[in-house]
Structure formats: structure tokens, C-alpha cells
Amino acid sequence: MHMTTRKRKRKRVVTPLHHPGTCIEPRNIQVGGNYLHTPPPSQRHLPKRLQPAMLALRSAGLRASIHCFRLTASSRLLSTLAILEHRQGKWNANSLSALTAATQLGSGVTAFIAGSDAAKMGAEAAKFKGVEKVLTVENEEYDKGLPENFAPLVVENVKEGGFTHVIAAHTAFGKNTMPRVAALLDVGQVSDIVGVESEDTFRRPIYAGNAIATIKSLDSFKVITVRPSAFDPAGPPAESNAAPIESGKDPKTTSQTAWVSEQISTSARPDLGSAARVVSGGRGLKDKENFDKVITPLADALGAAIGASRAAVDAGYADNALQVGQTGKIVAPELYVAVGISGAIQHLAGMKDSKTIVAINKDADAPIFQVADIGLVGDLFTTVPELTEKIKQ
Amino acid sequence: MSQKLRILTPVKRVLDYALKPRVNKTQTAVDIAGMKQSLNPFDEIAVEEAIRLREKHKDRVEDILAASIGPVKAQDCLRTAMAMGADRSAHIEVPESEAPEPLAVAKILKALVEKEGSNVVILGKQAIDDDSQQTGQMLAGLLGWSQATCAAEVKVEGDEILVTREVDGGTETVKAQLPIIITTDLRLNEPRFATLPNIMKAKKKPMQKLKPSDLNVEYKKSFELLKVQEPPTRQGGAKVGSVDEVVAKLKEAGVI
């Protein structure tokens, strides 16, 4: 009974992507109402170590088992599509962390680049370590990363290339677009991973980083976003690597949402998300003037990015984009200096993986001192300028 | 005449944001039994935004429906939402042990949207327990609607909705027409407190009680939770007495 129903079900599988003659039975996986073939033709062979087992099963006439076996086997033939972000000819350093995480999956990695600079960026991406292939889609419609057309673009290329994993960084773009990709593929998404255990098992923080969950994905496709601070960005392009570059599919879906304008604060400072040093100010600074007067010189002396607690952002001392915490930026620099920040759990969620934490606060009981490597109890208005002077020397 | 807005605001009951979660001894879950649970802060902002839209555009907003998926206790959150100003609510009961994943929640919400004829869904950008940041985007994908996540400002101008979004490094503004999915960021608004008279009135507001099967929704599990661990603890607490010692320690650590 069971076997016949299964057979009948599979007979109904028809796919435009199926290549006749390349395999005895169609190997299709249903995704969101569409049928995909995985893996791509070049990878349609079982790993050698599995072949004796296959023969044994076949001789025993266990066709149903073979079917199950094949699905398991094909899911092992991994290939990952890593989406890289770029802007005006420059990589988004955070998105390059996705490439590092992708290489840890132990699969072939294809870098995916879309937008008006795709050809130029693709040529550079071909030199990144671990990249086996580059797919580019040159079309300015994708420059703004609007999920309404970017998600169908990713889905189309996942299907076409028979990818098992799609990975992007947990950046504003990744957070916005990847869940839409997952929904279109009818699979769950693993958000903001901090560790790769295996091809289907990942570690991710929950409850503002107060617990780390290890989860196993049961879906046929894995859609993943990566916490940039947990993976080093892929190194600078090496001349030795030269992956082939191909044009990806462009479904040319139009976005019903239009991009109007943006206000991005530009500064010569290192980017908060990827800076090696961060100086953050909190409510203790009392007003914006003090924030600028106390925090900026220290950040300058250290060559650091400037961050802020939610209290400081809400009170208008610093720009929203500088907020460090569960709902702001998550950073893990070499050095994090927290000035006038009490250390609420939401703030700690954004910085407690920093290598060295320095806290300056007049309240000796402030929770920030429980995580600080170096704590100084004192008035920030006198200690911070003194510290700035001494660092300069 | 511009199209009327029928707003849906899904809300989630989560461990209160001020409490520190503890991992249980068997490392299978975060132990929240007996701890205070409240409306997810981002969802509170979503409900507030729906009410403000009505205050700003009196004739445009036809209905504000709050919905929650979860155990019976989730009804507390719906009462809170109605006390803030939602017209009515829908509770989709799912036992606590079967907490649905974001994709499943999105599928249930899709069915609810279709049943209720909603054309604006305002959700929180993330729930502070699983920190997934997925549901709104998934719902938009399933419905094929416009999405504007991490909203810092929402403006309705005729048939157009303009949303200013918080993005890395600043903000961007996008424009769309109905129907639309909006997710809220912290700075969208300051949620109001429910006053006692409004809490009393909310008790009389209608609450539909449904099960996923009533909406003909089927969903599968995408994940298996293998383990929950405490994060590595830091050796903090080393206080020093002067700026000189700070500098010396930084030098010792090789940071400067």
C-alpha cells in the first residue's frame, strides 16, 4: 500500500527543468508549488562510499528504500549560493562574512552578485578564497535590494542551479529579503547564526543572546543569515583563485514597492558593524553636546567607531544607526569602551562578545561591570578626557 | 474615494523584556514557567501605530483587528491590544508545546488576512524571544504583497503609503500602494498605556476563537531544537582605581 501510493505520487511529478535521460527517475523536490531538480547534472552521482550500499539494496529489491536513500544522498551533495552585497563599487564587509560561513558548510560555494556593477564586482569575487563559481546578474533594478524583486531573483537562481543552501549576512538587506526568499521556497529560515555545526545544524542566539540554541533544519533547502561579527569576512581577493563567472537567470520581476530616497550618515570613521574598536556612550553623557565633547575625542584617539546605547539614541545624543544592542547593531570588536552605560540586557546583547570590554561608570553596581574586563568607577567627565590624553601620548 | 484600510496587527506573548531568561538544567529550553510574560514590545508599537493611523485618517481606517497565535494565555495580550484601541481580536489557539515557527505563523496569518479581507498588516520587526525577524517578510512573500520592514515612520498619502525604514547606516524611504505589510522598529512611536476605563471596555470587545484547522492551514515543522545552552560567561568585574591603571591594563592586553 505504502509503496504504491508513493510511486503514484512521484509519477505525477513533471518538471520543465528536468533533463530527460540524465537519470532513471526524476529527482525532484517540491518547493512552493514549483518543482526543482537537485542536484545539478554534474553532481548527480552518489558518493563512492555509498555505492556498495546502493547495490546491496538494489539486489534485495528494496526499491522504496532506494528512493529514500537517494533523497538522503542527494541532500548530501551540497552547493551553496552566497549572496554578496556591494554598493558603489565597494563590498559590504559584513556581507563577506556570509562567504566565510558558506565555506564552513563544506560545500561548493557560488558567489551571487546582482546590480548595475555586477560584472565588475563579479570579477573581484572570483578571486575570493573558497569561491568556486560566480553568478552575476547585471541589472540596475537590483541596486536598491528591494525584496519584492530580489527575492524572486534569488529563488530563480536557486532553482536553476540546484543549490541546497542560500546564505546571506544578517544585515539590513539580509533581514529584509531572506525571509521572503524562504517563504517563496516554502522552507524555514535560520536567522543570525553564530556557528555552523554541520550542513544542517547551526547555532544561533535567542532571548537577546542570553541563550544559544542549536537547531537542525529539516527542510530540503536551507535559507540562512549569518551574524557578521561571528565570522571573519572573507579575506582580500587572492590572485591565485580565479573562479569561472557566469550570468545568472534574471526573471525581471518588477517591484511593486518603489525606492524613494535615503539618508545614510557618512563619516570617515570605521563602520560600526565591522570596526576593530568601538567607543560607546550612554545616558550618563547627559546631552548631545557632552556626547560629542567626551566620546568623539576618545574615539579619534583610538581610531574607533562610535556607538551608543538605546537611551542615548532615544534622547537624541546620537544617531539611530549607532545603536548597539539586541535591536541595533551587534558588534564584537577587539576593544569596546562603554562610557556612561549601565548595561541593560538589551545592550549587552549587542556587545558582550567583544574581546576586551572597558567600562567607565560612576555607579559601582552597574551591571556593565559584570562583563567588563577593565572597570573604572568614576565620573566620566573627568576620567574620559584624562584617558584620551594618556592614550594620545 | 481612496480605499479603506482594514488593519491587522498580529501580537505575540513573550517573556517580559526586563527579565533575564535562564536555560533549564536539561538544556532543552529556556525556563519561563512562572515568569512574567507580556506583549512583545515591537507588537505594542504595531498596535499603537494602527491606532495612530486611525487618529490621523479618521475616515480611512475601517477596522483594527488584533490577532495572536498561541496558548489560551495569549488572550491577555489581545485584551491589552483592545484596551489600547484595537476594535476586536482573534485568538488562534495552538498549545504551548507546539509553538509554531515563523513560517507556520505566516501561513496562519495569510489565511486570517484572506478571511478578514485585511489590506494592511502591521507587525513587530522581531519577537524578543526567538529574535528571528522573519514573520512579516514571510507573510509578504506568501501573499505577494509589498513589504516595508523596520519602519521608523509611516505616512498615508492618498492611495500611497510612504515608509521610512531603519537600515544600516541611516534610513531609506520606500513607497507602495495597498495592500502592504509593515514591520515596526523601536522608534516608530511611543506606545500608550491602557487606561482603566479602556481596560474595562476591552472586556466587552469581540474576540473570535479559532484553531489553525478552522482556517484550513496546514504547516510542517522546519526545525528541530537540539539543545539550548547558556552563552559563555565572561570573567568580568575587575575594577581598577585610576585612569593610569586602565591605560596600563590596555597596554598589557596589547590593545594600545
Side-chain angles (χ1 to χ4, degrees), chain A residues 92 144 146-148 170-173 175-177 179-180 182-184 186-191 201 203-219 256-265 277 302 310 313-314 319-321 323 326-329 334-335 345-346 351-358 364-365 369-377 383 386-387 390-391, chain B residues 15 17-21 23 30 32 42 45 101 103 107 125-135 137-142 144-150 152 162 165-177 179 185-187 190 220-232 234-247 249-251 253-256:
Chain A
N92 176 334
K144 300 300 178 193
L146 292 168
E148 290 84 349
H170 199 62
T171 53
F173 164 82
K175 292 174 201 173
N176 198 19
T177 305
R180 196 164 173 126
L184 295 177
D186 195 29
V187 297
Q189 180 189 301
V190 200
S191 282
T201 306
R203 274 178 291 126
R204 62 175 301 265
I206 53 174
Y207 288 92
N210 282 296
I212 307 291
T214 304
I215 57 171
K216 181 179 173 175
S217 161
L218 308 171
D219 288 316
Q256 68 267 44
T257 306
W259 186 88
V260 179
S261 62
E262 70 183 357
Q263 279 190 301
I264 303 291
S265 45
R277 294 162 179 199
L302 287 166
R310 187 190 164 198
V313 168
D314 280 354
D319 194 73
N320 288 350
Q323 190 191 326
Q326 181 186 20
T327 62
K329 277 272 162 53
E334 294 284 318
L335 174 66
I345 48 178
Q346 288 80 11
M351 46 66 80
K352 68 185 161 102
D353 294 327
S354 306
K355 273 235 177 69
T356 304
I357 297 173
V358 178
D365 297 326
F369 287 120
Q370 289 162 22
V371 299
D373 302 289
I374 307 168
L376 178 63
V377 181
T383 52
E386 190 187 339
L387 178 63
K390 290 194 166 139
I391 286 170
Chain B
L15 180 68
Y17 74 92
L19 299 176
K20 191 173 160 57
V23 175
V30 168
I32 52 169
F42 290 97
I45 294 170
E101 296 160 359
L103 183 62
K107 286 180 177 177
K125 78 164 177 182
Q126 77 192 70
I128 58 163
D129 51 0
D130 69 5
D131 284 334
S132 290
Q133 258 191 74
Q134 298 171 359
T135 308
Q137 296 89 310
M138 286 181 160
L139 179 60
L142 295 177
W145 290 10
S146 285
Q147 70 179 63
T149 56
C150 306
L162 278 128
R165 307 180 49 233
E166 303 250 2
V167 296
D168 297 340
T171 58
E172 70 172 18
T173 304
V174 293
K175 186 169 74 177
Q177 298 201 328
D185 214 318
L186 274 179
R187 272 164 289 277
E190 191 87 38
K220 57 181 178 15
K221 248 179 103 61
S222 287
F223 300 108
E224 191 185 331
L225 182 61
L226 301 181
K227 198 163 48 173
V228 179
Q229 290 165 292
E230 293 275 357
R234 288 189 77 98
Q235 294 284 336
K239 284 183 196 147
V240 295
S242 70
V243 172
D244 288 322
E245 284 176 68
V246 175
V247 176
K249 283 230 177 191
L250 284 176
K251 279 191 178 144
V255 191
I256 56 169

Side-chain angles (χ1 to χ4, degrees), chain A residues 267-292:
Chain A
S267 82
R269 276 180 200 292
D271 166 57
L272 176 60
S274 51
R277 294 162 179 199
V278 175
V279 177
S280 268
R283 203 200 302 268
L285 271 312
K286 301 233 165 38
D287 60 35
K288 179 164 170 44
E289 204 183 309
N290 284 329
F291 191 96
D292 294 340

Side-chain angles (χ1 to χ4, degrees), chain A residues 78-144:
Chain A
L78 312 175
S79 58
T80 302
L81 189 68
I83 301 167
L84 304 186
E85 296 169 52
H86 61 99
R87 199 185 163 86
Q88 286 155 358
K90 281 193 187 136
W91 294 112
N92 176 334
N94 289 328
S95 88
L96 299 182
S97 301
L99 206 50
T100 309
T103 54
Q104 292 182 13
L105 289 164
S107 63
V109 179
T110 299
F112 183 78
I113 296 136
S116 45
D117 277 341
K120 177 181 162 264
M121 302 311 286
E124 215 173 285
K127 296 185 183 124
F128 281 124
K129 199 177 153 217
V131 172
E132 289 183 358
K133 198 165 96 176
V134 177
L135 278 184
T136 60
V137 175
E138 187 142 331
N139 183 342
E140 62 177 27
E141 292 293 314
Y142 300 120
D143 283 355
K144 300 300 178 193

Side-chain angles (χ1 to χ4, degrees), chain B residues 71-249:
Chain B
V72 179
K73 282 195 174 148
Q75 292 179 1
D76 297 352
C77 288
L78 293 174
R79 295 280 169 213
T80 308
M82 289 192 290
M84 286 173 73
D87 299 317
R88 57 198 184 97
S89 63
H91 174 228
I92 296 108
E93 193 183 338
V94 175
E96 188 126 41
S97 56
E98 285 170 32
E101 296 160 359
L103 183 62
V105 171
K107 286 180 177 177
I108 295 169
L109 291 176
K110 176 177 184 267
L112 191 65
V113 161
E114 283 163 355
K115 176 173 176 276
E116 296 288 343
S118 314
N119 54 13
V120 179
V121 185
I122 311 178
L123 308 89
K125 78 164 177 182
Q126 77 192 70
I128 58 163
D129 51 0
D130 69 5
D131 284 334
S132 290
Q133 258 191 74
Q134 298 171 359
T135 308
Q137 296 89 310
M138 286 181 160
L139 179 60
L142 295 177
L143 287 163
W145 290 10
S146 285
Q147 70 179 63
T149 56
C150 306
E153 193 183 6
V154 176
K155 272 196 257 177
V156 179
E157 287 177 4
D159 277 336
E160 279 179 343
I161 318 255
L162 278 128
V163 180
T164 301
R165 307 180 49 233
E166 303 250 2
V167 296
D168 297 340
T171 58
E172 70 172 18
T173 304
V174 293
K175 186 169 74 177
Q177 298 201 328
L178 295 177
I180 189 171
I181 307 284
I182 297 167
T183 75
T184 62
D185 214 318
L186 274 179
R187 272 164 289 277
L188 182 57
N189 59 46
E190 191 87 38
R192 68 195 64 191
F193 288 103
T195 58
L196 188 60
N198 285 341
I199 293 170
M200 299 311 288
K201 271 187 225 159
K203 292 190 174 168
K204 293 193 181 121
K205 289 186 177 177
M207 184 189 288
Q208 290 180 64
K209 287 165 193 169
L210 300 162
K211 294 230 154 59
S213 56
D214 298 330
L215 293 163
N216 294 319
V217 189
E218 275 182 39
Y219 51 86
K220 57 181 178 15
K221 248 179 103 61
S222 287
F223 300 108
E224 191 185 331
L225 182 61
L226 301 181
K227 198 163 48 173
V228 179
Q229 290 165 292
E230 293 275 357
T233 47
R234 288 189 77 98
Q235 294 284 336
K239 284 183 196 147
V240 295
S242 70
V243 172
D244 288 322
E245 284 176 68
V246 175
V247 176
K249 283 230 177 191

